[in-house]
Amino acid sequence: MAIKFKAQAKRNPQDITLPEKYYASAIADGEVDLDVLSEQIAYECTVTESDCYAVLLSLERNIIRSLDQGRIVKLGRLGNFQVSVSSEGRDTPEEVNAGLITKARVLFRPGRRLRSLLTDLTYKKAS
């Protein structure tokens, strides 16, 4: 299987007067939700689909709760989740406050097996 991509025009954010350049952009080829994951997991082990679904929902709730408390969530070989923030800059540490935060996001740092997936990918240009 190959990751599909398309050419996408983008401007240079440092100089928007420059002409656009085209960059490869990955195209999603469907999606997998908790229902599908629960079914797949149940097929591969002795746990029922409804039990798998319940565990995945509980995992989601507990990840959110832990991130909300400022914790790093370590999921073993899968990887780690952590909250990160961006803010406006100031000249001294004393000037930095919560009002300067412009964006928050959840970072995911994949484990070794997920990272190795990226080195073994093949690509196919979408038609």
Side-chain angles (χ1 to χ4, degrees), residues 2 6 28 31 34 38 47 49 53 56 61 96 102 122-123:
K6 66 179 179 180
E31 54 186 39
L34 288 181
S38 298
V47 180
E49 184 178 337
Y53 189 78
L56 290 171
R61 278 193 303 275
V96 176
T102 57
T122 58
Y123 305 97

Side-chain angles (χ1 to χ4, degrees), residues 5-65:
F5 69 93
K6 66 179 179 180
Q8 185 169 0
K10 294 183 183 180
R11 292 206 179 275
N12 181 338
Q14 271 102 33
D15 188 352
I16 60 172
T17 63
L18 292 174
E20 291 180 329
K21 289 191 175 184
Y22 290 86
Y23 299 88
S25 179
I27 300 172
D29 192 13
E31 54 186 39
V32 177
D33 62 13
L34 288 181
D35 291 329
V36 172
L37 285 173
S38 298
E39 182 181 331
Q40 290 173 339
I41 293 168
Y43 181 76
E44 295 175 358
C45 64
T46 60
V47 180
T48 67
E49 184 178 337
S50 58
D51 287 341
C52 291
Y53 189 78
V55 168
L56 290 171
L57 286 178
S58 181
L59 176 65
E60 177 190 38
R61 278 193 303 275
N62 282 284
I63 288 172
I64 291 168
R65 184 180 304 125

Side-chain angles (χ1 to χ4, degrees), residues 111-124:
R112 184 179 300 144
R113 290 181 69 189
L114 274 177
R115 280 194 317 266
S116 70
L117 160 84
L118 298 175
T119 60
D120 298 332
L121 289 176
T122 58
Y123 305 97
K124 177 182 176 184

